[in-house]
Every structure is written in structure tokens, then in C-alpha cells.
Amino acid sequence: DTGVSQDPRHKITKRGQNVTFRCDPISEHNRLYWYRQTLGQGPEFLTYFQNEAQLEKSRLLSDRFSAERPKGSFSTLEIQRTEQGDSAMYLCASSQGVGGHNEQFFGPGTRLTVL
Amino acid sequence: GEDVEQSLFLSVREGDSSVINCTYTDSSSTYLYWYKQEPGAGLQLLTYIFSNMDMKQDQRLTVLLNKKDKHLSLRIADTQTGDSAIYFCAEKGSNAGKSTFGDGTTLTVKP
């Protein structure tokens, strides 16, 4: 257990529905990251926050995806109008510091299945 | 853009050494990482190396970095069945937030 928690751990939804995931980082960590991992591939970067500011978004993050970190603590990732291609493991990570090594601690992930 | 490549599978006998290889394309990569992922578990950072180093040793793990060829390797000495997992190579720039991962090497250790 790294100290990063994600909720829910599993989500099954029907195509077209909206889903929201939550990530609680390690409490003193100022950076929070979202990645997506599909079967047989490595994690792909989606977006990251420094405190409450969203500093970078991947081209993978279409306009159906939105992430927030309103108070610089927990974060939510919402997917609107889900598609079957959104089925994946959504990983959250957190780190402390700006620049440098800044080890990222990963949560257990939320597995999304879109039927 | 950044790209990280790994071979997909490696099988070794218990007690042998395992060597997992990785190549990357981004010459500005400053930190190179090795992560381990076991079934149903999250990513665990095993070790990392700074780009101005050639080698780093940590107990049974040895990381070699050839910056000229952009080649990274992870050697696991005396491989055990508990080392069976997927190993991911990743890179990060000095001021970058994100890490770029390879697709992982599945290590199978046979008794």
C-alpha cells in the first residue's frame, strides 16, 4: 500500500453513460497524475496537477474527459458519454516537489469496463 | 515525441540472472526508472538512475545506462519465483511532470 487510494476499484458501465473516479494522494504531496493503462501496454500519461493547477494535458485527453483537483488535495477524473475504447485501468499517482526525481507513488487503479 | 521500447517476454530459471533491456528516444531524458507490476497490484518503483550515471547497484538489482545508445538495462541476480512480474522501463525529463513508459517485459521465473 503506497498511501495513494482510488475509488472505486472497479466500474462497469454502459456505453454513453458518465463515470467519475476519485483519487486521494499522499497528504503532503503537491503533484497528482492520471495515467491510463490498457491490457498489454504501459501506463499512458493523461494529465497532472501541481496543487490545484492543471499543468499539462495529453492529446489522449479528449473533450469527453475532465479532471479537477479543486483544493489541491483529492482529484476526480470524469469521462462523459463513455465509449468501449475507454475501457482501461485508470491509475493515479502523487509526488512531492517540483522538478528533479520526485518519485511517483501509484495507487491501485480503477478498472473501467464499458459495455 | 518520447518513445520507450522493451522486449515483451523473458523466461529464466530460478537462481539464474535476468536481464531486461529498454531503449528510449528522448535525448533530454534525465531520469530513467524501472517499475514492477504484479497481478492485481499497483506499480512499484524498483530503482532509478540519473542520466549522468552509468551504473547503479541496489542489492540484487543492477541498472546499466548507455546514454550514447539510449539503452537501459535491469539485471536481477539470483532470480526468484517471486520476481515473476511485468517490469516497466520509464523516462522523465528534468522539469517534466509526466513519465513515459514502455509496454513492459513479462518476466517468468521457472523453478
Side-chain angles (χ1 to χ4, degrees):
Chain A
D1 184 357
T2 63
V4 179
S5 60
Q6 294 187 244
D7 184 69
R9 295 290 304 275
H10 303 273
K11 178 71 177 177
I12 300 174
T13 191
K14 292 184 179 178
R15 192 175 50 189
Q17 298 294 305
N18 299 343
V19 294
T20 301
F21 309 140
R22 177 180 169 123
C23 171
D24 286 90
I26 295 171
S27 60
E28 64 269 23
H29 283 185
N30 61 343
R31 284 193 169 181
L32 186 149
Y33 312 79
W34 286 99
Y35 291 84
R36 181 175 70 184
Q37 186 179 18
T38 53
L39 197 62
Q41 296 195 326
E44 295 174 292
F45 170 77
L46 293 178
T47 188
Y48 88 95
F49 295 83
Q50 184 166 299
N51 300 313
E52 64 275 7
Q54 190 172 17
L55 294 191
E56 188 176 353
K57 288 174 24 172
S58 163
R59 289 190 305 272
L60 294 174
L61 215 65
S62 75
D63 55 8
R64 296 185 298 105
F65 288 69
S66 62
E68 293 182 344
R69 194 184 184 199
K71 296 180 182 178
S73 56
F74 74 91
S75 176
T76 58
L77 177 69
E78 181 184 16
I79 309 174
Q80 296 183 326
R81 305 181 303 281
T82 52
E83 301 172 357
Q84 287 186 324
D86 297 330
S87 295
M89 178 76 85
Y90 289 84
L91 298 170
C92 174
S94 70
S95 70
Q96 175 59 24
V98 177
H101 161 45
N102 296 335
E103 179 179 349
Q104 294 182 22
F105 292 83
F106 282 83
T110 294
R111 182 170 295 283
L112 173 66
T113 302
V114 181
L115 302 176
Chain B
E2 309 92 351
D3 194 23
V4 177
E5 299 279 342
Q6 301 177 238
S7 52
L8 293 181
F9 301 100
L10 177 66
S11 178
V12 301
R13 292 238 173 251
E14 192 173 20
D16 288 349
S17 292
S18 308
V19 179
I20 304 171
N21 294 299
C22 168
T23 57
Y24 60 98
T25 58
D26 190 353
S27 57
S28 67
S29 297
T30 304
Y31 300 94
L32 289 305
Y33 301 92
W34 285 105
Y35 287 85
K36 179 181 181 182
Q37 188 175 46
E38 295 178 273
L43 281 164
Q44 173 195 356
L45 179 66
L46 286 177
T47 186
Y48 73 97
I49 189 167
F50 189 52
S51 60
N52 69 353
M53 298 169 65
D54 298 324
M55 185 181 85
K56 181 177 181 182
Q57 188 149 5
D58 184 0
Q59 300 182 330
R60 292 190 298 123
L61 305 179
T62 302
V63 179
L64 295 178
L65 174 61
N66 181 328
K67 194 173 179 182
K68 173 177 169 288
D69 294 339
K70 300 189 184 68
H71 181 269
L72 183 74
S73 68
L74 174 69
R75 178 178 181 270
I76 306 173
D78 187 25
T79 314
Q80 303 298 305
T81 54
D83 295 323
S84 293
I86 303 175
Y87 291 80
F88 291 95
C89 170
E91 64 84 23
K92 188 171 88 73
S94 176
N95 294 314
K98 67 178 183 181
S99 293
T100 301
F101 288 79
D103 285 339
T105 299
T106 299
L107 174 64
T108 302
V109 182
K110 298 179 180 178

